Amino acid sequence: MTFLLATCLASLAHANTEAAEFSSPNNKRIDNQPVFVRKPVWELGLGVAYFSGHDYPASNDPNQAGLALPFFIYRSEVVRVEGRGVGAVAYERPTLKLDVALGGSLNAESEGNAARAGMPDLDFLFEIGPRLNALLSRRVHPDGGTSTLRWLNSVSAVASSDFSSLDGRGFLFKSELEFRRKRLFGSGFDFQLQLDSIWASQELHDYFYSVDPEFETTDRSSFTAESGYLSSTFTL
């Protein structure tokens, strides 16, 4: 389970030029129908965040970090840099969007990890692939906020790197339900819930879980992983 808390301390938005964004809420109350609305092309801000997770799926060793960092949002008709990451839009309608998304995860050292002690470290992972974003429902509330329910499905190619080489690690399939409440109780705060499940090819499971005979110990037998279910995540 991963938790993220972010607070905007300061922001600056482009004041003149705007671009349409997929199914974003409008400040005006309208019928509960998805529409295109306009938002700034770019925004800058400063935020703080706290991440709590593990070295890899099913690991018992925590990986936690606190960050204070700037954030950058850019919206054009094709390229989007937002909270979901970096993407290139291929098809877009008010209730359906197909884009190409990029993602990744941090590296993890085997030293200090009880299950992988003495084994190679896990490198940074990078993902790229198509993502289908479907808007299932949208509601406008009397306080001016909106609530949306989305279903997202993606297939990604995965590669690992220590920045001296790049190695293919198979594929991921991810299916996600997302509920978002904009302007909660008329405030400037948003509320979001996400539940996703991930399935992976044998190559990625092998990278995380397989144990070659040379790394056998009295507490760790050799093991060859297979493809299938990888993990589920609940995010608030």
Side-chain angles (χ1 to χ4, degrees):
M1 183 177 293
T2 302
F3 294 90
L4 167 63
L5 173 63
T7 304
C8 179
L9 304 181
S11 65
L12 174 66
H14 193 290
N16 298 317
T17 307
E18 294 183 327
E21 182 183 271
F22 171 69
S23 300
S24 298
N26 201 334
N27 290 330
K28 298 182 296 183
R29 183 176 179 181
I30 58 175
D31 294 336
N32 293 327
Q33 298 297 322
V35 294
F36 282 108
V37 298
R38 295 190 177 276
K39 284 192 172 183
V41 171
W42 60 266
E43 299 179 54
L44 299 175
L46 179 66
V48 295
Y50 173 75
F51 299 90
S52 178
H54 295 85
D55 285 347
Y56 54 90
S59 169
N60 291 324
D61 293 275
N63 192 340
Q64 301 171 328
L67 299 172
L69 72 169
F71 67 83
F72 174 71
I73 295 174
Y74 176 76
R75 307 178 182 96
S76 73
E77 292 185 2
V78 176
V79 178
R80 308 282 166 84
V81 182
E82 299 184 273
R84 292 187 174 278
V86 181
V89 179
Y91 174 86
E92 186 170 29
R93 290 294 182 270
T95 59
L96 195 67
K97 180 169 72 172
L98 177 64
D99 61 13
V100 177
L102 304 176
S105 59
L106 298 176
N107 64 331
E109 296 182 355
S110 294
E111 182 179 356
N113 185 303
R116 294 187 57 85
M119 297 180 63
D121 295 336
L122 297 175
D123 293 332
F124 291 91
L125 292 180
F126 301 93
E127 306 167 21
I128 183 171
R131 176 180 57 194
L132 186 65
N133 184 335
L135 179 64
L136 301 182
S137 68
R138 180 180 187 274
R139 180 185 176 190
V140 180
H141 298 279
D143 58 17
T146 59
S147 57
T148 56
L149 179 65
R150 300 181 186 277
W151 185 31
L152 301 96
N153 292 278
S154 62
V155 179
S156 301
V158 184
S160 65
S161 178
D162 59 0
F163 298 103
S164 64
S165 63
L166 188 68
D167 299 297
R169 299 298 179 185
F171 296 89
L172 285 175
F173 170 73
K174 181 177 181 179
S175 187
E176 173 186 334
L177 279 175
E178 174 197 277
F179 173 80
R180 181 176 295 186
R181 174 68 157 87
K182 289 280 192 177
R183 299 180 61 191
L184 189 63
F185 304 121
S187 70
F189 290 93
D190 297 342
F191 176 78
Q192 182 172 319
L193 289 173
Q194 291 175 245
L195 176 63
D196 64 64
S197 293
I198 302 175
W199 291 261
S201 64
Q202 190 273 335
E203 292 90 343
L204 186 60
H205 280 183
D206 182 70
Y207 185 62
F208 286 144
Y209 307 119
S210 287
V211 179
D212 294 335
E214 61 186 292
F215 298 116
E216 278 189 286
T217 67
T218 55
D219 298 320
R220 185 174 61 205
S221 303
S222 61
F223 177 74
T224 301
E226 299 180 354
S227 62
Y229 174 77
L230 176 61
S231 67
S232 291
T233 303
F234 172 75
T235 304
L236 168 63

